[in-house]
Amino acid sequence: SVIPHVVKNKWCLMSTIPSAGAGLDWLREKLLGFDEAESYKVMDAKIAEREPGAKGIMIFPFFSEGAGLTSQITGLTLAHDRYDLLRAYLESICFEIKRMLDALEREGLQLDCLRVTGGAVKSG
């Protein structure tokens, strides 16, 4: 969506990935059984040790209801651990941001600034 900027004659383009942060919390707590003892900082360090591509796991990060999309996890095998899964999730959020930026570029829009906010960017 396009919203007015606080500076006159400037505009902001705004897009969302519904529940990106909530999805990360859900994966950590409900699916992978993390407790509060392992901080996001420790988790991020362990994820950073993993190779890009999460050993073939792909996640479609649409965990919220009502967005018209559903989440999917593919490529998961017994060779993976929870940090591979979390890396795949964070990579999927990055991919969605890149996809949005590519769509803006195809429309001929050039960005002067990019700000990413919300729950998922609080990791680390």
Side-chain angles (χ1 to χ4, degrees):
S1 60
V2 179
I3 58 174
H5 193 280
V6 295
V7 176
K8 188 176 181 174
N9 296 322
K10 296 268 184 180
W11 299 89
C12 295
L13 298 171
M14 185 174 182
S15 189
T16 65
I17 304 168
S19 301
L24 179 60
D25 288 342
W26 180 84
L27 279 171
R28 271 179 51 92
E29 296 162 17
K30 305 287 188 212
L31 189 63
L32 301 174
F34 279 80
D35 58 27
E36 293 183 23
E38 182 166 354
S39 70
Y40 280 90
K41 190 174 204 169
V42 170
M43 179 192 78
D44 288 343
K46 290 181 180 181
I47 291 169
E49 295 171 358
R50 301 301 197 264
E51 291 292 318
K55 294 193 258 180
I57 301 172
M58 291 181 59
I59 298 179
F60 298 94
F62 306 109
F63 286 100
S64 66
E65 294 179 19
L69 302 166
T70 59
S71 182
Q72 297 178 30
I73 300 172
T74 62
L76 187 62
T77 70
L78 295 175
H80 295 104
D81 66 20
R82 60 190 188 168
Y83 300 106
D84 296 322
L85 194 58
L86 289 166
R87 174 151 189 131
Y89 182 74
L90 292 177
E91 287 179 356
S92 75
I93 299 301
C94 293
F95 177 79
E96 284 301 306
I97 293 168
K98 174 71 167 112
R99 192 178 64 79
M100 291 173 192
L101 292 173
D102 289 347
L104 292 173
E105 187 177 288
R106 281 192 305 275
E107 294 298 320
L109 299 171
Q110 183 177 2
L111 298 179
D112 295 330
C113 179
L114 172 67
R115 302 233 191 264
V116 180
T117 64
V121 297
K122 293 178 185 175
S123 179

